[in-house]
Amino acid sequence: MKSIGQRIIAVLIVLLILGQMLTVGISRYNSLRDRVENTGEAVELTIWYTDAKLNTFMLEAAEEYQEMTGISINAQLISAVDYIEKISDATFMEGKSPDLFVAGSDLLQKALYAGIVDDHVSYSEAEKDNIPQKAFDAATCDGKLIGYPFYFESCFLLYNQYYAEDWPRSVDQILEYADAFEATSTTEKVQSIFKWDVSDIFYNYFFIGNYVGLGGVNGDDKAQLSLSEGNVIKSLEYYQSLNEFFAIDEETVHNEDVIQEFIDGKIVFTIAKTDAIARLDQAIAEGKVPEYKLEATRDEEGNEIPPREVDCFYGVGDIPNLSEELITRGLSVTNSIVVNNYSANRAYANDFAHYVSYERAEQLYEQTGKVSVCKSVTAGDANWERIMVQYAGSVEIPKIIEMSNYWILMEIAFANIWNGADIMTEIGNVVAQMNMQLNE
């Protein structure tokens, strides 16, 4: 939630950037319209994407862009199964290929090697400053920026601000909170101190993320792979020990249920993903959040201390380290818009990719619940700025094709470890499988 001062700063930042965009944009759109009209031929671009949540956003973007430029846009929702293969087949065999497509960072190397990416991505210096380097790294493969960074998903800590004044800096501190916890009229709904979806690698990966090398900064370098460094084992031992304290059932826990329990006041701390914020804000708007009443406390001399003020029931914090020695890093995935190298209208396709990913960034969250990589969208909101910090320091899903099933293998390993399996055996199995695939 934004304070008045924060809102003013955010508005000024947005107005400055929008002013720059408007000045440049009007001239560019007029130029594009003139080019299209002078050719005397209709120009149509086709964009593919796999997430149905983008439907309204894409359709409105298509309509607005056509009004400004005269270029019609055909936005198509496509199944995510064998997505790059479908684009490649359409490009080389069917003659009905998309001019551009939305893809996660894990698919970019496959798309590059298939020859279906254009590397003429362009931003002004001011625009570059408005996008974190992390997003550009995620859209870079083999040293080339091959996509327009669009939106991201990343993990962070959620905590109930009626139960805790600040977020814990380590899981050790969460354990200390649990040991000292006493039920009061404020905390009577609490059923779990710390609960997260232990069945999903996206929420578990922070335990080992700081110690696993996944292809370097851009996630595409096989020489920079390290899957079983010593602290990985120590971190997994810590992870396994938590089952004794929190006893989360790996077979029945689901993130959707965890977030609902957090909304209902049953959980103090949880690990969440960016899409959780829209759900929390919706619950607040619909009046589905319980009422809380903080109790007054007393100092050492017995004087009454009035209850602290809480402006929003939830707060966002950094993913906690495990301890002073064991550091964590969350996982993220960045989706970019990629122009097909075989499009007959690559210049127009690049312009539309820039328009959708950058110039319509303000509308993205409102219409999809997804978070733009543009800093101006989250400026002035303390929670979103904290999430952006987490994203900037997160581990991006790697692009290396041979590692495409690494996440499935690690999810299985985490599940087995949580349930008491031997850690060295589980990690050894994953490393052996990865080494075999990488050396084929």
Side-chain angles (χ1 to χ4, degrees):
M1 307 295 287
K2 298 179 181 179
S3 67
I4 294 176
Q6 289 174 327
R7 289 179 183 275
I8 292 173
I9 294 172
V11 168
L12 290 174
I13 293 172
V14 171
L15 287 177
L16 176 62
I17 293 172
L18 287 178
Q20 294 173 333
M21 290 166 50
L22 185 61
T23 302
V24 175
I26 291 175
S27 174
R28 193 177 82 248
Y29 299 143
N30 289 338
S31 176
L32 285 172
R33 177 175 286 278
D34 289 342
R35 284 172 59 187
V36 172
E37 291 177 351
N38 289 337
T39 62
E41 297 180 3
V43 177
E44 180 180 272
L45 299 175
T46 296
I47 182 170
W48 283 11
Y49 55 96
T50 61
D51 194 326
K53 291 181 180 179
L54 292 173
N55 280 339
T56 299
F57 176 84
M58 283 294 184
L59 292 174
E60 287 194 10
E63 183 178 344
E64 292 174 5
Y65 193 75
Q66 183 171 9
E67 289 178 359
M68 292 185 295
T69 66
I71 299 171
S72 61
I73 306 295
N74 178 22
Q76 295 184 7
L77 176 66
I78 304 295
S79 168
V81 178
D82 296 328
Y83 183 48
I84 299 301
E85 289 81 354
K86 288 174 183 172
I87 297 171
S88 184
D89 289 346
T91 299
F92 298 111
M93 299 171 60
E94 301 170 12
K96 297 180 181 178
S97 63
D99 297 278
L100 59 170
F101 53 93
V102 179
S105 48
D106 56 319
L107 297 177
L108 294 187
Q109 188 177 79
K110 181 182 285 189
L112 178 66
Y113 289 176
I116 53 174
V117 303
D118 178 72
D119 61 359
H120 291 84
V121 177
S122 178
Y123 289 96
S124 70
E125 290 303 315
E127 291 168 346
K128 289 178 182 178
D129 289 341
N130 192 35
I131 298 174
Q133 183 60 44
K134 170 72 168 63
F136 286 124
D137 293 340
T140 298
C141 191
D142 286 11
K144 300 176 181 179
L145 181 60
I146 59 175
Y148 292 83
F150 189 15
Y151 62 89
F152 71 91
E153 292 179 316
S154 193
C155 286
F156 49 89
L157 182 80
L158 270 179
Y159 67 102
N160 188 309
Q161 295 199 103
Y162 286 97
Y163 302 154
E165 291 188 42
D166 198 1
W167 78 80
R169 269 52 179 181
S170 68
V171 179
D172 275 357
Q173 289 183 1
I174 293 178
L175 294 174
E176 292 171 3
Y177 177 97
D179 286 340
F181 181 81
E182 294 182 3
T184 66
S185 59
T186 303
T187 62
E188 61 185 4
K189 305 178 190 66
V190 173
Q191 297 178 1
S192 301
I193 300 299
F194 186 31
K195 186 175 182 180
W196 73 101
D197 188 350
V198 296
S199 70
D200 191 324
I201 189 64
F202 207 97
Y203 302 99
N204 271 336
Y205 200 76
F206 75 94
F207 281 89
I208 63 173
N210 193 57
Y211 303 114
V212 176
L214 294 178
V217 173
N218 297 329
D220 59 359
D221 185 357
K222 294 181 185 179
Q224 297 190 58
L225 291 177
S226 174
L227 305 179
S228 58
E229 189 263 341
N231 280 326
V232 171
I233 305 304
K234 292 180 181 178
S235 298
L236 287 171
E237 289 173 346
Y238 192 106
Y239 169 77
Q240 190 176 61
S241 73
L242 293 179
N243 197 354
E244 175 186 344
F245 294 97
F246 302 117
I248 304 167
D249 189 342
E250 174 267 332
E251 293 187 357
T252 61
V253 68
H254 297 289
N255 182 61
E256 290 292 311
D257 297 333
V258 171
I259 296 302
Q260 186 58 53
E261 290 175 29
F262 182 82
I263 291 171
D264 294 338
K266 297 177 182 179
I267 298 174
V268 181
F269 307 107
T270 189
I271 303 298
K273 198 167 58 172
T274 43
D275 58 359
I277 299 297
R279 188 170 170 191
L280 297 177
D281 289 344
Q282 181 179 6
I284 293 172
E286 294 176 353
K288 295 182 178 179
V289 175
E291 291 186 5
Y292 297 89
K293 184 178 180 180
L294 286 171
E295 299 175 342
T297 57
R298 294 187 180 277
D299 61 22
E300 295 178 354
E301 298 178 354
N303 300 313
E304 184 174 284
I305 303 173
R308 58 189 172 84
E309 294 185 3
V310 176
D311 61 350
C312 178
F313 89 96
Y314 73 86
V316 170
D318 296 346
I319 288 181
N321 294 323
L322 304 185
S323 64
E324 290 185 0
E325 295 78 24
L326 296 174
I327 310 304
T328 59
R329 285 180 71 191
L331 191 63
S332 65
V333 59
T334 306
N335 282 266
S336 298
I337 301 181
V338 181
V339 172
N340 190 332
N341 193 45
Y342 284 85
S343 168
N345 296 295
R346 288 197 301 276
Y348 295 131
N350 272 280
D351 188 84
F352 182 65
H354 183 280
Y355 170 74
V356 170
S357 62
Y358 192 88
E359 292 162 59
R360 290 199 96 249
E362 291 289 332
Q363 288 82 18
L364 183 64
Y365 179 73
E366 176 186 332
Q367 296 181 341
T368 69
K370 299 183 181 301
V371 190
S372 168
V373 297
C374 295
K375 300 175 187 176
S376 56
V377 174
T378 55
D381 186 305
N383 283 337
W384 279 117
E385 288 181 343
R386 178 56 49 189
I387 292 172
M388 287 291 280
V389 169
Q390 290 293 279
Y391 169 60
S394 65
V395 179
E396 185 78 17
I397 289 181
K399 305 176 179 76
I400 299 170
I401 297 172
E402 293 87 348
M403 294 189 68
S404 60
N405 65 335
Y406 171 72
W407 306 107
I408 298 173
L409 296 176
M410 283 303 297
E411 193 162 277
I412 294 170
F414 263 93
N416 292 339
I417 290 168
W418 182 254
N419 291 317
D422 182 73
I423 295 170
M424 294 298 292
T425 299
E426 293 297 325
I427 294 303
N429 290 339
V430 174
V431 172
Q433 180 65 35
M434 285 296 100
N435 286 338
M436 182 181 71
Q437 293 174 193
L438 289 163
N439 294 324
E440 285 181 349

